[in-house]
């Protein structure tokens, strides 16, 4: 009797066991699919991460190259500027040493008599002075304008103020010629400057003050 009940219970459980096995197999299969899909997604994410990292590396290298290029350009400009400043300093120093010779030639020509005996000497000094002027012009050295211009303390040096009929601040006489090279003053001009006291306006003002 007991054996019959056991057989009947086993018979009743067999469909349930089979159904459970099928269900477990389906679950396992679904889990494998999920795991495979997850692994694929992980691999794709890793690949995307790798690609993004390389893009960032490339961008970093490009930015570094741009900075290096900018630094090199700045260095080159600084070297060019320093070289130009050094060239200007050396050129100015050399030309400045020649200016006293130029002054002596001008002074000699100014006081040299123009007679038959000294005419040949005078012609030689004139040719020498002309050659000197040509060399200065070749190097870009130009004389500083003086007489008739307004006094400029950047290029002129006033040694005396005198009364004249010229407006105040006007240069009326040059005592020593000045020179400049480009925008660099090699030597300032020594000049006399008008006080403006000799002008009709100044004289009228003085008369009114006296009366």
């Amino acid at each position: 009797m007991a054996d019959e009940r056991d057989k009947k219970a086993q018979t009743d459980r067999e469909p349930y066991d089979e159904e459970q096995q099928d269900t477990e197999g389906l679950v396992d299969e679904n889990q494998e699919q999920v795991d495979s899909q997850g692994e694929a997604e992980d691999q794709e994410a890793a690949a995307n991460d790798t690609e993004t990292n390389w893009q960032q590396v490339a961008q970093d290298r490009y930015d570094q190259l741009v900075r290096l290029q900018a630094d090199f350009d700045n260095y080159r400009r600084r070297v060019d500027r320093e070289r130009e400043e050094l060239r200007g300093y050396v050129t100015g120093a050399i030309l400045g040493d020649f200016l006293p010779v130029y002054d002596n030639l001008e002074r000699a020509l100014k006081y040299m008599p123009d007679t038959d005996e000294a005419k040949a000497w005078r012609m030689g000094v004139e040719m020498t002075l002309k050659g000197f002027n040509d060399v200065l012009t070749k190097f870009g050295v130009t004389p500083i304008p003086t007489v008739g211009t307004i006094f400029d303390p950047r290029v002129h040096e006033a040694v005396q103020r005198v009364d004249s009929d010229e407006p105040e601040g006007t240069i009326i006489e040059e005592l020593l010629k000045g020179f400049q090279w480009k925008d660099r003053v090699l030597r300032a001009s020594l000049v006399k400057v008008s006080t403006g006291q000799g002008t009709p306006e100044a004289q009228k003002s003085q008369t009114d003050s006296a009366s």
Side-chain angles (χ1 to χ4, degrees):
M1 188 70 175
D3 293 338
E4 292 178 358
R5 286 197 299 269
D6 293 339
K7 290 180 180 181
K8 183 179 180 181
Q10 184 176 3
T11 301
D12 293 338
R13 281 199 306 269
E14 286 179 356
Y16 174 78
D17 293 340
E18 293 178 356
E19 182 179 357
Q20 185 175 6
Q21 290 177 358
D22 294 338
T23 301
E24 291 178 353
L26 181 61
V27 170
D28 292 340
E29 183 178 355
N30 291 336
Q31 184 63 38
E32 290 178 356
Q33 292 179 356
V34 171
D35 293 342
S36 299
Q37 183 177 1
E39 291 178 358
E41 291 178 352
D42 293 340
Q43 293 177 356
E44 183 179 359
N48 292 334
D49 291 342
T50 303
E51 181 180 0
T52 302
N53 290 337
W54 278 113
Q55 290 178 351
Q56 185 63 41
V57 169
Q59 183 64 39
D60 292 341
R61 295 295 182 269
Y62 175 76
D63 294 340
Q64 185 180 16
L65 179 62
V66 170
R67 288 194 296 270
L68 288 174
Q69 182 66 36
D71 292 340
F72 178 75
D73 291 340
N74 293 333
Y75 169 77
R76 184 175 56 187
R77 283 193 293 267
R78 184 173 66 254
V79 170
D80 292 341
R81 184 175 62 253
E82 291 175 353
R83 183 186 298 114
E84 185 65 23
E85 291 176 354
L86 179 60
R87 183 184 296 115
Y89 176 80
V90 174
T91 303
I94 295 175
L95 294 175
D97 291 339
F98 279 104
L99 294 183
V101 181
Y102 181 92
D103 297 335
N104 291 333
L105 289 173
E106 269 202 334
R107 199 173 294 115
L109 188 62
K110 180 179 180 180
Y111 294 104
M112 182 174 291
D114 190 11
T115 60
D116 293 339
E117 297 179 356
K119 194 170 185 179
W121 290 95
R122 183 179 182 87
M123 185 178 298
V125 174
E126 287 176 347
M127 293 177 61
T128 304
L129 186 60
K130 181 180 182 302
F132 213 121
N133 279 317
D134 292 341
V135 172
L136 293 178
T137 302
K138 178 181 177 181
F139 278 95
V141 178
T142 56
I144 298 174
T146 53
V147 178
T149 63
I150 300 299
F151 176 80
D152 185 351
R154 295 173 300 179
V155 295
H156 302 139
E157 183 178 346
V159 297
Q160 188 177 359
R161 290 171 56 86
V162 296
D163 297 340
S164 73
D165 56 357
E166 295 292 337
E168 182 180 4
T170 302
I171 298 174
I172 60 175
E173 185 178 352
E174 180 184 74
L175 302 179
L176 182 64
K177 183 175 294 186
F179 293 90
Q180 59 184 7
W181 177 68
K182 297 182 179 180
D183 58 348
R184 178 190 179 98
V185 177
L186 299 177
R187 184 179 68 188
S189 299
L190 300 182
V191 296
K192 290 183 180 181
V193 182
S194 172
T195 61
Q197 295 301 319
T199 60
E201 292 81 3
Q203 292 177 355
K204 183 176 182 301
S205 178
Q206 291 177 356
T207 302
D208 294 341
S209 299
S211 61

